[in-house]
């Protein structure tokens, strides 16, 4: 079991599930095997920083007993913020999922820019 953790680049912002690097990794690892042996879980969270990723790792991820964890954070740590990272609150995942889905709409993109 491999778990990929990170921010929007891991989550797959504006790409299909099949295009995320976690899904592509799973396909590559299993492609020459008679039965799939590798499970790759996408645990990317849009907007997360390394601080939030560490909290997520301790609270949720470790209980899945992964064999390997892939981390891909960074961009959100460099963004200027008016509040400390430890106090940041993000919308629930279902809202982020809707926003991700709507991001494929040219009308939606036009409205928010």
């Amino acid at each position: 079991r491999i778990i990929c953790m990170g921010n929007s680049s891991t989550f797959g912002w504006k790409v299909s599930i099949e295009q995320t690097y976690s899904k592509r990794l799973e396909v590559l690892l299993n492609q020459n095997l008679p039965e799939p042996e590798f499970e790759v879980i996408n645990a990317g969270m849009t907007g997360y920083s390394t601080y939030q990723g560490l909290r997520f790792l301790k609270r949720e991820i470790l209980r899945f007993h992964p064999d390997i964890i892939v981390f891909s954070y960074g961009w959100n740590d460099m963004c200027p913020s008016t509040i400390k990272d430890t106090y940041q609150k993000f919308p629930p995942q279902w809202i982020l999922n809707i926003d991700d889905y709507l991001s494929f709409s040219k009308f939606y993109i036009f409205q928010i820019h």
Side-chain angles (χ1 to χ4, degrees):
R1 177 176 284 165
I2 300 169
I3 296 182
C4 298
M5 295 185 65
N7 47 29
S8 57
S9 59
T10 299
F11 173 82
W13 184 255
K14 297 189 180 187
V15 300
S16 69
I17 292 171
E18 292 76 26
Q19 292 176 314
T20 61
Y21 76 78
S22 56
K23 180 51 83 176
R24 295 179 85 165
L25 175 61
E26 183 177 68
V27 169
L28 284 170
L29 291 172
N30 289 314
Q31 73 181 355
N32 294 324
L33 302 175
E35 297 281 326
E37 294 181 24
F38 295 94
E39 174 187 27
V40 181
I41 298 171
N42 184 340
M45 300 294 278
T46 303
Y48 268 30
S49 66
T50 53
Y51 174 80
Q52 289 143 329
L54 179 60
R55 290 180 60 195
F56 186 43
L57 172 72
K58 290 177 179 178
R59 287 184 181 172
E60 302 293 332
I61 300 301
L62 292 178
R63 68 186 170 108
F64 290 98
H65 305 287
D67 298 295
I68 297 172
I69 302 174
V70 177
F71 295 95
S72 177
Y73 290 94
W75 291 108
N76 294 336
D77 287 356
M78 297 186 324
C79 295
S81 179
T82 57
I83 60 173
K84 278 182 73 175
D85 192 34
T86 54
Y87 299 114
Q88 285 190 29
K89 301 280 189 242
F90 290 98
Q93 190 61 44
W94 67 270
I95 290 177
L96 296 172
N97 291 344
I98 290 171
D99 190 57
D100 184 47
Y101 177 77
L102 291 174
S103 71
F104 290 101
S105 162
K106 291 189 187 307
F107 180 74
Y108 179 74
I109 293 169
F110 177 76
Q111 292 298 319
I112 61 173
H113 292 301

